[in-house]
Amino acid sequence: MKLVIGNQKAFMSSDDVYAFIGGMEGNCFDNVVICPSYPYIGMYSKLGIKVGAQDVSISDNGKATGEVTVNQLKSLGVSYCIVGHSERRSFFAEDDDLVNRKITKLLDNDMVPILCVGESFEDKENGRSVDVVLNEVCSAFNGVNFSSLNRIIVAYEPIWSISDGIRAGVTPSCDEIKGVISSIKNYVKDNYGVSIKVVYGGSVNLSNVDALNDIDILDGYLIGGASLKVDSFVELAKKCL
Ligand code: PGA
């Protein structure tokens, strides 16, 4: 079974979400986590599906207009949270330090962080994919309590491959994905003594998921565009059961 995490980003209207939830009824498989925009979290929680947030505040303070705290997420039954997505790193200036603080906040509160890491196309062309990704993992894990590290899911998302990337629709080859994933797993095992789950994200859809499912060390997917239409999303999730 592979994990299927839907990252619905900021795409859907509330009507879209009602339609999506209608299609999910009876299809809330164990391997699925949906990460909707904040306003829709309560709607998904009621469905009895695993729910994740797309971001979290580093503040616990109520005096934080516009932020959503970890306690608020927990009160809605959210147990997963994406951190350091490339869109947040590039459009909202999230740096490694902020990513590290969010990871720490989530782990201290028994949540499951989904840490996004990934190289630019230029880095890939220069053979730097593994270096870039391991640097991001290393910064994100800085100072984190080792005993909680096994809860982290790392999402390997090459920036160029996600749907707004410069090679949208193209994924690395299965061998390339396998190489990066095993580097992450080995690095974490060697340096922190824990085994973690690593998922792949970037243009995953119904047409390429069968081939990707053959990557034995891959634990699942972070899915953007293909998590917006319920019928195809359910079909994709079934292929990963
Ligand atoms: P995509 O997005 O599946 O649309 O490429 C993945 C992501 O950005 O998490």
Side-chain angles (χ1 to χ4, degrees):
M1 187 166 93
K2 294 207 195 292
L3 200 56
V4 174
I5 305 167
N7 173 14
Q8 297 183 327
K9 308 193 181 184
F11 279 114
M12 294 164 92
S13 69
S14 66
D15 284 348
D16 294 336
V17 173
Y18 278 120
F20 194 96
I21 285 175
M24 282 306 287
E25 275 168 30
N27 291 309
C28 294
F29 311 119
D30 263 3
N31 62 332
V32 173
V33 180
I34 301 279
C35 302
S37 300
Y38 288 138
Y40 309 135
I41 283 178
M43 291 160 75
Y44 280 101
S45 300
K46 283 194 199 126
L47 187 64
I49 198 165
K50 290 182 198 136
V51 182
Q54 297 174 14
D55 190 24
V56 66
S57 180
I58 48 164
S59 172
D60 288 325
N61 198 327
K63 289 182 186 171
T65 302
E67 292 288 274
V68 175
T69 68
V70 76
N71 285 331
Q72 290 180 308
L73 294 178
K74 284 171 79 174
S75 74
L76 285 167
V78 173
S79 43
Y80 295 78
C81 184
I82 297 171
V83 180
H85 189 281
S86 57
E87 288 158 8
R88 293 214 61 82
R89 291 182 194 257
S90 57
F91 306 143
F92 302 97
E94 284 207 6
D95 60 13
D96 286 339
D97 177 56
L98 187 53
V99 169
N100 171 251
R101 292 168 72 191
K102 289 183 177 183
I103 295 279
T104 306
K105 172 74 62 194
L106 292 166
L107 288 178
D108 287 351
N109 282 280
D110 300 320
M111 304 260 295
V112 178
I114 302 163
L115 167 69
C116 298
V117 296
E119 81 284 1
S120 66
F121 193 65
E122 194 187 348
D123 284 329
K124 175 190 161 49
E125 292 292 88
N126 290 323
R128 299 198 62 245
S129 304
V130 169
D131 284 354
V132 168
V133 161
L134 293 187
N135 264 327
E136 287 179 329
V137 170
C138 175
S139 316
F141 284 16
N142 186 26
V144 164
N145 184 345
F146 283 24
S147 66
S148 57
L149 265 185
N150 60 350
R151 233 182 302 128
I152 290 190
I153 298 171
V154 172
Y156 169 48
E157 292 210 310
I159 299 167
W160 51 271
S161 167
I162 65 174
S163 20
D164 47 6
I166 59 169
R167 292 288 189 282
V170 179
T171 65
S173 70
C174 288
D175 281 346
E176 285 170 325
I177 294 175
K178 194 168 178 171
V180 175
I181 285 174
S182 67
S183 302
I184 296 171
K185 289 192 173 199
N186 291 339
Y187 174 83
V188 176
K189 185 88 194 155
D190 293 348
N191 289 282
Y192 304 94
V194 291
S195 303
I196 55 158
K197 287 194 172 64
V198 182
V199 301
Y200 169 78
S203 297
V204 177
N205 56 43
L206 264 180
S207 0
N208 56 23
V209 72
D210 286 329
L212 294 168
N213 272 343
D214 285 341
I215 306 175
D216 51 354
I217 59 166
L218 179 62
D219 296 301
Y221 307 102
L222 182 56
I223 299 178
S227 72
L228 302 177
K229 293 273 179 287
V230 70
D231 292 347
S232 48
F233 180 70
V234 166
E235 213 179 313
L236 198 154
K238 280 185 183 161
K239 283 175 177 282
C240 299
L241 277 172

